Amino acid sequence: FGTVYNFGLVDDVSSVDEAISYFSSKQVDIILLHSATYFTSDSVLPLHLSVKVPVVVLNLQPLKSLNVLIRYH
C-alpha cells in the first residue's frame, strides 16, 4: 500500500524545478508520468535525473499515431 501524490502539469523549466522539490520532499518510490501528446526532454529529463527514482512514462494515445503534418521550407 502507498500514498499517491499528484503534482500536476509539468510543461516548462520552472515547473520542472517545482516538481523536483515536490517529489523529493514526499520521498516517492516511483513516478508515473503521463504524456498525453508531446513533451520536450527539458520538461522530463531533469526530473528523472534529480529525483533518482524509477520513472514510468505512460503514453496513452487513443490513436495508433498522432496525425502530425510537418512541412519543411
Side-chain angles (χ1 to χ4, degrees):
F1 296 99
T3 304
V4 175
Y5 298 102
N6 180 5
F7 175 78
L9 182 65
V10 175
D11 63 348
D12 60 21
V13 175
S14 65
S15 61
V16 170
D17 292 337
E18 293 172 23
I20 290 169
S21 295
Y22 178 82
F23 289 121
S24 295
S25 71
K26 302 295 185 190
Q27 298 180 340
V28 299
D29 296 316
I30 190 168
I31 294 175
L32 301 175
L33 181 141
H34 177 244
S35 167
T37 56
Y38 173 81
F39 60 88
T40 59
S41 60
D42 66 341
S43 297
V44 177
L45 190 57
L47 175 67
H48 176 65
L49 295 175
S50 297
V51 179
K52 307 276 190 208
V53 298
V55 176
V56 177
V57 179
L58 305 169
N59 188 359
L60 305 175
Q61 176 65 26
L63 305 174
K64 184 175 179 179
S65 64
L66 293 176
N67 185 10
V68 179
L69 177 61
I70 300 174
R71 294 183 184 200
Y72 297 98
H73 296 281

